[in-house]
Amino acid sequence: MPSAAAAPPAASRLSRFGFPEIRGSGNFLLASLIQGTGNGLLLAFQLVYFTATTAMSAVAVGTALTLSRLLTLPAPAVVGPLMDRYGARRVVIVGNALCAVAFFSFLFVENSWQVVATGVAVQFGTAMFWTANSALVSLAAHQGDRTRWFGLIRVIRNVGLGVGGAVAALATSTSGTAGLRVLVIGCALSYAVAGVLIATWHPREKGQGAAGAHGAEQTPKASYRLVLRDHVYLRLVAVNVVFVLAAMVLSFLLAIYVVDALSAPTWLVGVLLIVNSALVIGGQSVATRLIERHPLTKVIAVASALDALAFGIYALLDGMPQGAVIAGLFLGMIIFTAGEILASPGLGELSVALAPPHALGRYLAVFQLSWTLGMALAPWLFTTLLSAGPRTPWLVLCALSVIAIPAVRGLPRQLAPQGEPAGQDAVPSGAAG
């Protein structure tokens, strides 16, 4: 069948706007919103929290947080076999519990080794969630609407991040250190509540369909060797690294480029980020509805072309008049966000559809490694490229995005049906709630 999703059952009046059928998955949606809000509470304030509540310097805290991330880089590889053995839902529940305990432990941190220890716990729990999240989407999805689910979950998490970020900004501006401690408690509680919601969510029973795009009469043993021999999936992982680096522009490159290289006002960065979030929240589901009749590989290739165009525009802004700089920044952000909206659901869908169900955990673990690798690489890569000139990182990102286009087009256009089982978590439909 075509890689694009067939239209879901007409049970939902919102389906025309790109929303999936959500009956029976209210707990999953609410958990995603609450967890996204919790992430927003501390997203930009971990470094601030530890420097304000301990005697450590910003350098010491930053070093400890970086070390905790480096120590947990292999975490997805550990999580994959756990998913294949115990199912995605149990992995997410344990990961949320671990994050809840770890964030609550922030209240008692006094020195660097404690920052590292709690940071490792947070990063490992987060790896458990993100590695298994795509499989949870498959558990929630009805036949044919998995791509829509990836789009919806992305919108919900963006809403949560925005709400959490607004609350965090208010708390830190009015309550100082006490406000920071409240944020930590709120973040810990959000993970605990989200874990309970997932534990009490009962996905519908799904039929035992074919083993993804790799269906075979005899199912091979699940192992990482199976993934590493799958050159098609490894191509997808390589393509995703390019999109991860593109996504990291918002966190590690945009602000320093706008303020230092273009001498634009700092507030402009915040406005650009608001534009990005607003477009994602308002346009993701509609865009998913419009593109679902097209092959996912074509849609992702178009997204990569849009990224290349946006980065090319940003590379040209250095030395331009201020009016042209501001117009170019907004134009580039709109084009970049359009690419982000097109690529994200399709990449999530391919990460599941190209994996055999019996080894889905290991496959998604390798896919998640593209995120951990890209996120770890981005700060060093962008700052190093910036030292060679303000246009250099944008030109490199533009070139990578162009290279990704034929790589994406080389992926299979025929995929497994959407909504097939994604682990050992489904229960009889009568228990769905």
Side-chain angles (χ1 to χ4, degrees):
M1 61 172 288
S3 62
S12 172
R13 294 181 179 179
L14 294 176
S15 65
R16 70 185 66 179
F17 299 108
F19 290 94
E21 173 57 57
I22 63 173
R23 286 180 299 180
S25 296
N27 282 12
F28 177 41
L29 292 173
L30 184 57
S32 299
L33 178 62
I34 291 173
Q35 190 174 22
T37 303
N39 285 340
L41 293 176
L42 276 185
L43 185 65
F45 294 100
Q46 280 197 48
L47 181 62
V48 175
Y49 171 80
F50 286 122
T51 54
T53 59
T54 70
M56 290 183 289
S57 67
V59 173
V61 174
T63 301
L65 290 174
T66 299
L67 179 58
S68 69
R69 288 180 177 272
L70 291 175
L71 290 174
T72 50
L73 280 177
V78 178
V79 175
L82 296 177
M83 275 185 61
D84 289 332
R85 181 168 183 176
Y86 299 107
R89 198 162 62 98
R90 293 184 182 90
V91 167
V92 169
I93 293 167
V94 173
N96 279 12
L98 180 58
C99 283
V101 172
F103 279 119
F104 187 73
S105 299
F106 279 16
L107 298 173
F108 309 101
V109 167
E110 297 179 349
N111 51 49
S112 293
W113 76 262
Q114 291 173 337
V115 174
V116 173
T118 54
V120 166
V122 166
Q123 292 304 316
F124 198 91
T126 302
M128 295 180 79
F129 168 79
W130 283 113
T131 304
N133 186 58
S134 294
L136 288 189
V137 171
S138 276
L139 290 174
H142 290 242
Q143 183 71 25
D145 67 357
R146 192 165 58 201
T147 303
R148 292 184 174 201
W149 264 98
F150 279 112
L152 177 61
I153 291 298
R154 187 161 181 269
V155 170
I156 288 175
R157 292 193 63 81
N158 270 270
V159 171
L161 286 170
V163 172
V167 172
L170 178 63
T172 54
S173 62
T174 60
S175 303
T177 302
L180 288 169
R181 294 186 186 278
V182 170
L183 294 182
V184 166
I185 295 172
C187 186
L189 288 175
S190 73
Y191 275 91
V193 172
V196 171
L197 287 170
I198 294 298
T200 54
W201 170 47
H202 303 291
R204 298 170 301 105
E205 184 178 23
K206 297 178 185 286
Q208 299 300 314
H214 303 258
E217 292 183 0
Q218 293 185 346
T219 302
K221 181 180 178 181
S223 70
Y224 280 113
R225 184 178 300 177
L226 179 67
V227 188
L228 295 178
R229 288 201 301 257
D230 191 334
H231 300 298
V232 170
Y233 202 85
L234 294 181
R235 178 194 290 253
L236 173 65
V237 172
V239 166
N240 196 57
V241 171
V242 176
F243 280 98
V244 171
L245 290 175
M248 292 301 102
V249 161
L250 300 180
S251 299
F252 299 114
L253 181 57
L254 181 66
I256 192 171
Y257 179 68
V258 170
V259 176
D260 292 352
L262 302 181
S263 300
T266 304
W267 58 263
L268 188 58
V269 178
V271 175
L272 290 169
L273 294 177
I274 290 172
V275 168
N276 173 264
S277 295
L279 289 174
V280 170
I281 293 170
Q284 182 69 75
S285 292
V286 174
T288 303
R289 171 70 179 88
L290 293 175
I291 66 177
E292 64 184 0
R293 290 186 175 87
H294 301 280
L296 292 179
T297 52
K298 181 178 180 179
V299 172
I300 297 171
V302 170
S304 194
L306 290 173
D307 280 352
L309 177 59
F311 298 146
I313 291 173
Y314 276 21
L316 296 175
L317 297 181
D318 183 36
M320 299 281 283
Q322 188 172 42
V325 165
I326 293 175
L329 286 172
F330 278 99
L331 176 61
M333 181 57 69
I334 292 170
I335 294 173
F336 169 80
T337 306
E340 191 180 12
I341 287 172
L342 292 179
S344 182
L347 289 168
E349 169 62 27
L350 288 177
S351 72
V352 176
L354 293 178
H358 78 282
L360 183 63
R362 287 169 171 83
Y363 271 74
L364 290 180
V366 173
F367 188 78
Q368 181 61 25
L369 283 173
S370 66
W371 276 96
T372 56
L373 176 62
M375 293 173 69
L377 184 63
W380 168 83
L381 178 63
F382 292 161
T383 53
T384 301
L385 292 174
L386 270 175
S387 66
R391 296 180 178 179
T392 306
W394 302 109
L395 293 174
V396 170
L397 286 167
C398 181
L400 289 174
S401 297
V402 170
I403 293 171
I405 295 173
V408 173
R409 297 304 297 269
L411 292 171
R413 296 165 67 93
Q414 301 291 323
L415 302 179
Q418 296 188 24
E420 288 301 311
Q424 307 164 32
D425 296 300
V427 297
S429 56

